């Protein structure tokens, strides 16, 4: 029910005489009814961003707007946001039922309506049986669902969720995720949630903002993050297993690429050679990084790149094969069972030219392709 | 016998002896002697204690002055406790912040606690003087009392005058305990309440006070017992006067003992105070669900 816009948002914390830049020049916008996931590792600034939207963090610079109205100077209560806290933040003196209905009571809604709403949301999150308990007597998972229920019941224009399912066990998590997503969609609610779990981000969010060290690395759909990563960080962060990244030396024109080993490799011992038939970006000869998704690498006996199998793991629906190309290890995901591959066996791998993504060796940003397809 | 072998774990009584001796001499003996005294009375002609049975106890329940002192004590305790609690919580909420200068304010606020109560009594005696007392002047300027009205020498206002000293000295103690309690509260539920649109009064009554309940109960208990025993301010400021307007139970007990040399009756009064405090304190502990 609301569009969110963050413009050049920065937040600096002062600890003693040190300044810590928690969020650095972050801009992103979310459409009406969109679910946005803030994804990143601990300390990347995602929670600070969420708390800034909620109104608990005073911005150092920038502005935040909901439906075009600046809200970054308003107190939390007047921003029209609901929030589920990572530490649950339940009200200890109140029963679960009163915790969930607290905001509706503050809005002076009639008792019958509150009771109905509480029952409905409790059924959605499977906590009907503990409604008359106090938070101290509920399990961590129940407390977390109570916190989630307390945020969702408001149907606020913008719902903020901080690690909303971290305490739930995997089966329950998948179930709650689906129900929360359906609930948000049914009531056309916009939401921003914070997570460090990319599976959660992928399954709950319409678009994902990947953050690292206070900076937005990329904001886009899962497909965009996976197939057109903005930089080396996103490439290595998204995907399970993550993208194979390696240092390379590109010939002028980009017809041939020499693989040099791991991305941090300084010793330029060539591992092998790729022929890319002009699919490489228009760049001058020199160092670059290249990446390829594990499931796009093809195992082929007649391929020119040769390596040794280090391990072969069958996961029930796919195989993860770790191949050593002479100092450079890559992971190959094969949907079919590659039963006959044994440890130590010699194997050929093929990088389909379209699947290879180039990154600048200087700053790690993705390089556009000459042909205009693939990378941006 | 070597010293080392005397202080061995096999002889616990050696370790316990000092504590037991102190307890026996200063706590157990006076307590039991008090009980013994309450069934006797000092006869000044024979200069000896005479057994009187339950006469002291019977006499006490028929003693109008005792009941008057008891009710003065209860009024004193209730009013001071209420004012000190409300002021203490209010001030604690005001200075529970991290801004510049708050640390200094918190330190300054504790100064009254280091002044001996008798000195505080003397200070307030002077400040409440109807001729040149600064407090009297302020109250007169605010039209709270008539010009030249004696605060401590009028039976209508004397108790209030004594209470002012107590409140000035002991409110900081409440502030200190409430600050500690507020400091220990988790921040997140209050952030959640802010997002949920709660106003300050909702947070105060639905969250803060219930969450502070254990610490409030302990503070009220400690202060309540202390207030019930009030003696120093009364002794210094009014000596129970005018008449018996500010005569509290402990002051009445002291008077019986040291002015009238009725040791047996004084012992009876002090035992009554003890029993009353134990009963009320236990009822309070049960009602407030204080867990030690």
């Amino acid at each position: 029910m609301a569009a969110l816009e963050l413009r050049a948002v920065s937040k600096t914390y002062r600890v003693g005489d040190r300044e810590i830049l928690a969020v650095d020049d972050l801009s992103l916008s979310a459409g009406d009814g969109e679910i946005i996931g803030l994804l990143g590792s601990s300390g990347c600034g995602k929670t600070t961003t969420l708390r800034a939207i909620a109104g608990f963090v005073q911005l150092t610079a920038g502005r935040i707007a909901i439906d075009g109205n600046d809200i970054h100077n308003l107190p939390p209560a007047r921003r029209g946001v609901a929030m589920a806290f990572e530490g649950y933040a339940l009200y200890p003196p109140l029963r679960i039922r009163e915790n969930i209905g607290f905001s509706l009571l503050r809005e002076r809604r009639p008792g019958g309506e509150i009771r109905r709403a509480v029952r409905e949301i409790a059924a959605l999150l499977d906590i009907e049986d503990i409604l008359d308990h106090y938070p101290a007597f509920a399990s961590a998972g129940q407390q977390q669902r109570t916190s989630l229920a307390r945020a969702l019941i408001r149907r606020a224009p913008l719902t903020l969720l901080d690690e909303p399912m971290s305490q739930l066990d995997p089966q329950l998590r998948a179930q709650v995720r689906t129900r929360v997503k359906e609930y948000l969609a049914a009531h056309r609610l916009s939401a921003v949630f914070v997570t460090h779990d990319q599976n959660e981000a992928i399954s709950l969010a319409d678009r994902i903002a990947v953050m690292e060290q206070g900076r937005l690395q990329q904001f886009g759909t899962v497909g965009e993050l996976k197939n057109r990563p903005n930089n080396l960080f996103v490439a290595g962060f998204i995907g399970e297993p993550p993208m194979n990244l390696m240092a390379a030396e590109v010939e002028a024109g980009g017809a041939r690429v020499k693989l040099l080993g791991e991305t941090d490799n300084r010793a330029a011992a060539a591992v092998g050679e790729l022929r890319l038939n002009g699919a490489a970006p228009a760049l001058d000869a020199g160092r670059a990084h290249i990446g390829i998704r594990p499931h796009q690498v093809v195992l082929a006996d007649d391929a020119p790149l040769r390596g040794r199998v280090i391990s072969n793991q069958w996961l029930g629906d796919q195989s993860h094969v770790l191949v050593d190309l002479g100092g450079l290890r890559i992971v190959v995901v094969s949907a079919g069972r590659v039963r006959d591959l044994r440890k130590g066996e010699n194997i050929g791998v093929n990088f389909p030219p379209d699947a290879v993504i180039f990154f600048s060796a200087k700053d790690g940003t993705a390089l556009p392709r000459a042909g205009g397809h693939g990378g941006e | 016998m070597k010293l080392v072998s005397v202080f061995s774990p096999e002889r616990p009584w050696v370790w316990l002896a000092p504590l037991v001796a102190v307890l026996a001499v200063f706590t157990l003996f006076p307590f039991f002697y008090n009980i013994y005294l309450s069934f006797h009375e000092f006869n000044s002609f024979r200069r000896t204690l005479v057994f009187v049975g339950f006469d002291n106890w019977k006499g006490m329940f028929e003693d109008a002055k005792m009941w008057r002192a008891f009710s003065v004590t209860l009024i004193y305790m209730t009013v001071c406790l209420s004012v000190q609690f409300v002021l203490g919580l209010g001030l604690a909420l005001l200075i529970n912040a991290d801004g510049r200068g708050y640390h200094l304010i918190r330190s300054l606020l504790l100064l009254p606690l280091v002044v001996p109560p008798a000195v505080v009594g003397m200070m307030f005696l002077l400040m409440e003087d109807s001729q040149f007392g600064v407090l009297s002047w302020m109250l007169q300027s605010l039209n709270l009392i008539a010009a030249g009205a004696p605060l401590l020498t009028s039976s209508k206002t004397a108790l209030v005058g004594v209470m002012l000293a107590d409140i000035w000295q002991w409110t900081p103690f409440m502030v200190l305990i409430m600050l500690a309690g507020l400091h220990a509260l988790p921040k997140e539920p209050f952030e959640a309440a802010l997002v949920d649109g709660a106003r300050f009064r909702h947070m105060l009554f639905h969250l803060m006070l219930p969450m502070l309940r254990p610490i409030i109960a302990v503070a009220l208990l400690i202060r309540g017992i202390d207030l019930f025993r009030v003696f120093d301010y009364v002794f210094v400021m009014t000596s129970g006067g005018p008449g018996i307007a500010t005569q509290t139970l402990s002051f009445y007990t002291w008077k019986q003992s040291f002015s009238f040399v009725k040791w047996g009756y004084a012992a009876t009064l002090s035992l009554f105070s003890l029993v009353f405090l134990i009963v009320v304190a236990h009822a309070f502990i049960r009602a407030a669900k204080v867990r030690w």
Side-chain angles (χ1 to χ4, degrees):
Chain A
M1 286 200 291
L4 170 74
E5 187 174 9
L6 275 68
R7 267 253 169 276
V9 166
S10 290
K11 175 62 190 177
T12 310
Y13 287 110
R14 204 178 287 275
V15 180
D17 51 0
R18 271 190 329 135
E19 283 193 345
I20 296 167
L21 192 58
V23 178
D24 185 7
D25 195 26
L26 173 75
S27 295
L28 59 84
S29 52
D32 197 11
E34 202 174 13
I35 305 176
I36 302 298
L38 297 178
L39 176 65
S41 44
S42 304
C44 72
K46 56 192 194 297
T47 292
T48 300
T49 307
L50 197 75
R51 290 175 59 83
I53 301 172
F56 298 123
V57 169
Q58 207 66 42
L59 299 186
T60 310
R63 35 180 289 254
I64 300 174
I66 290 180
D67 283 339
N69 305 315
D70 278 355
I71 57 152
H72 55 271
N73 287 326
L74 296 180
R78 293 185 46 209
R79 296 189 176 200
V81 297
M83 181 161 174
F85 291 76
E86 187 184 3
Y88 328 136
L90 300 181
Y91 311 132
L94 306 183
R95 294 174 196 276
I96 299 287
R97 176 191 302 285
E98 297 158 337
N99 261 279
I100 299 175
F102 189 81
S103 59
L104 301 186
L105 198 63
R106 297 284 79 81
E107 291 170 12
R108 297 174 179 278
R109 303 269 195 91
E113 186 191 328
I114 297 178
R115 272 193 298 279
R116 240 190 336 274
V118 169
R119 247 198 321 271
E120 184 196 329
I121 200 81
L124 184 81
L125 296 172
D126 261 341
I127 45 174
E128 295 154 291
D129 50 333
I130 55 156
L131 282 178
D132 288 313
H133 293 206
Y134 285 97
F137 296 102
S139 71
Q142 290 169 332
Q143 292 190 34
Q144 186 154 45
R145 279 176 283 158
T146 303
S147 156
L148 198 51
R150 192 176 59 183
L152 292 179
I153 198 172
R154 291 191 39 202
R155 297 183 191 166
L158 180 65
T159 305
L160 306 172
L161 309 170
D162 193 357
E163 300 275 6
M165 291 157 205
S166 55
Q167 292 297 324
L168 309 183
D169 45 52
Q171 287 89 347
L172 189 59
R173 191 179 303 187
Q175 183 198 337
V176 167
R177 212 185 265 155
T178 317
R179 291 187 181 180
V180 167
K181 188 160 185 170
E182 281 169 5
Y183 181 89
L184 291 172
H187 299 286
R188 304 224 334 116
L189 304 176
S190 308
V192 177
F193 71 98
V194 157
T195 183
H196 62 265
D197 175 358
Q198 53 172 298
N199 290 325
E200 188 166 303
I202 289 166
S203 51
L204 194 53
D206 297 321
R207 280 193 293 167
I208 300 171
V210 180
M211 292 183 70
E212 173 67 7
Q213 292 187 330
R215 299 195 71 100
L216 180 65
Q217 304 293 323
Q218 188 167 359
F219 182 40
T221 62
V222 192
E224 287 165 353
L225 296 180
K226 279 195 169 167
N227 301 323
R228 300 204 300 273
N230 265 357
N231 55 35
L232 279 174
F233 176 80
V234 176
F237 191 75
I238 296 284
E240 187 53 46
M243 185 178 274
N244 292 303
L245 296 169
M246 53 212 97
E249 192 152 313
V250 183
E251 235 179 36
R256 280 199 311 171
V257 172
K258 238 188 257 174
L259 299 183
L260 299 179
E262 317 271 331
T263 42
D264 52 359
N265 188 6
R266 297 261 165 262
V271 171
E273 250 185 36
L274 284 180
R275 287 184 180 278
L276 294 174
N277 309 329
L283 46 72
D284 297 333
R287 288 286 187 89
H289 294 310
I290 68 167
I292 182 163
R293 292 264 160 221
H295 65 270
Q296 286 177 313
V297 181
V298 179
L299 293 172
D301 287 332
D302 55 348
L305 266 174
R306 308 297 304 179
R308 231 163 20 84
V309 174
I310 296 172
S311 68
N312 180 7
Q313 223 181 353
W314 172 243
L315 300 182
D317 57 350
Q318 51 180 250
S319 280
H320 286 191
V321 185
L322 187 58
V323 180
D324 185 354
L325 302 174
L328 169 67
R329 290 181 172 197
I330 63 165
V331 178
V332 183
V333 171
S334 174
R337 191 166 185 173
V338 204
R339 199 193 291 273
D340 47 332
L341 278 179
R342 283 174 205 288
K343 202 176 158 187
E345 204 167 314
N346 194 291
I347 183 83
V349 294
N350 196 7
F351 293 0
D354 282 350
V356 176
I357 300 170
F358 286 79
F359 301 94
S360 150
K362 264 185 282 171
D363 54 10
T365 53
L367 299 171
R369 282 170 176 252
H373 61 278
E376 244 172 59
Chain B
M1 208 188 284
K2 274 189 189 167
L3 201 62
V4 177
S5 65
V6 173
F7 290 100
S8 76
E10 282 79 43
R11 300 172 207 272
W13 52 267
V14 180
W15 299 96
L16 290 173
L19 180 64
V20 170
V22 169
L23 269 177
V25 173
F26 293 106
T27 304
L28 290 176
F29 170 72
F31 175 67
F32 287 111
Y33 187 65
N34 227 19
I35 295 176
Y36 168 84
L37 266 183
S38 73
F39 293 102
H40 295 74
E41 194 49 274
F42 183 72
N43 187 315
S44 30
F45 296 110
R46 288 159 62 185
R47 297 196 167 213
T48 180
L49 287 170
V50 181
F51 181 75
V52 294
F54 279 93
D55 283 3
N56 280 334
W57 289 93
K58 276 186 227 152
M60 182 184 75
F61 287 108
E62 287 156 11
D63 182 359
K65 279 188 181 170
M66 177 302 221
W67 288 114
R68 173 71 211 239
F70 184 61
S71 62
V72 166
T73 308
L74 286 186
I75 292 169
Y76 186 89
M77 181 174 90
T78 314
V79 173
C80 284
L81 200 55
S82 314
V83 173
Q84 287 172 12
F85 169 64
V86 173
L87 274 183
L89 182 66
L91 285 173
L93 286 171
L94 276 180
I95 62 173
N96 182 30
D98 292 325
R100 245 169 193 279
Y102 281 94
H103 189 75
L104 184 69
I105 292 176
R106 284 196 284 266
S107 311
L108 286 177
L109 208 77
L110 299 181
L111 280 180
L113 286 171
V114 299
V115 185
V119 175
V120 172
M122 288 304 295
M123 271 164 46
F124 273 78
L125 186 61
L126 293 174
M127 291 200 295
E128 289 173 21
D129 186 281
S130 56
Q131 300 297 314
F132 54 85
V134 64
L135 220 68
S136 291
W137 172 75
M138 277 167 66
L139 292 173
Q140 283 165 21
S141 308
L142 293 169
N143 284 327
L144 287 172
I145 55 172
L151 204 58
L152 286 172
T153 49
S154 151
S155 60
K156 279 183 190 150
T157 51
L159 194 60
V160 176
V162 180
M163 285 174 179
L164 284 178
D166 199 307
I167 289 165
W168 178 82
Q169 178 149 46
W170 290 100
T171 298
F173 176 78
M174 277 291 187
V175 175
L176 188 70
I177 294 190
M178 293 303 139
L179 267 179
L182 287 174
H183 209 76
L185 289 184
K187 280 201 179 66
E188 278 204 323
F190 295 96
E191 291 186 338
L194 277 180
V195 174
D196 272 353
R199 290 171 188 282
F200 177 73
R201 62 169 195 278
H202 299 135
M203 285 198 242
L204 182 66
F205 290 111
H206 291 295
L207 299 183
M208 212 176 273
L209 289 180
M211 287 165 87
L212 284 175
R213 198 192 61 191
I215 210 158
I216 289 174
V218 171
L220 291 182
L221 190 66
I222 295 175
R223 275 312 294 146
I225 292 173
D226 233 26
L227 282 163
F228 189 81
R229 301 181 310 177
V230 60
F231 178 81
D232 5 33
Y233 305 111
V234 174
F235 182 83
V236 172
M237 295 174 75
T238 62
S239 295
I244 54 167
T246 58
Q247 183 160 274
T248 60
L249 196 54
S250 58
F251 188 79
Y252 186 57
T253 309
W254 174 84
K255 227 156 104 180
Q256 290 297 329
S257 184
F258 295 99
S259 298
F260 306 146
V261 206
K262 285 194 168 179
W263 296 344
Y265 189 45
T268 313
L269 288 171
S270 69
L271 280 174
F272 174 73
S273 296
L274 181 71
V275 172
F276 177 79
L277 274 183
I278 288 176
V279 170
V280 171
H282 270 264
F284 180 79
I285 287 170
R286 284 189 153 233
K289 292 182 194 140
V290 179
R291 293 209 191 108
W292 300 101

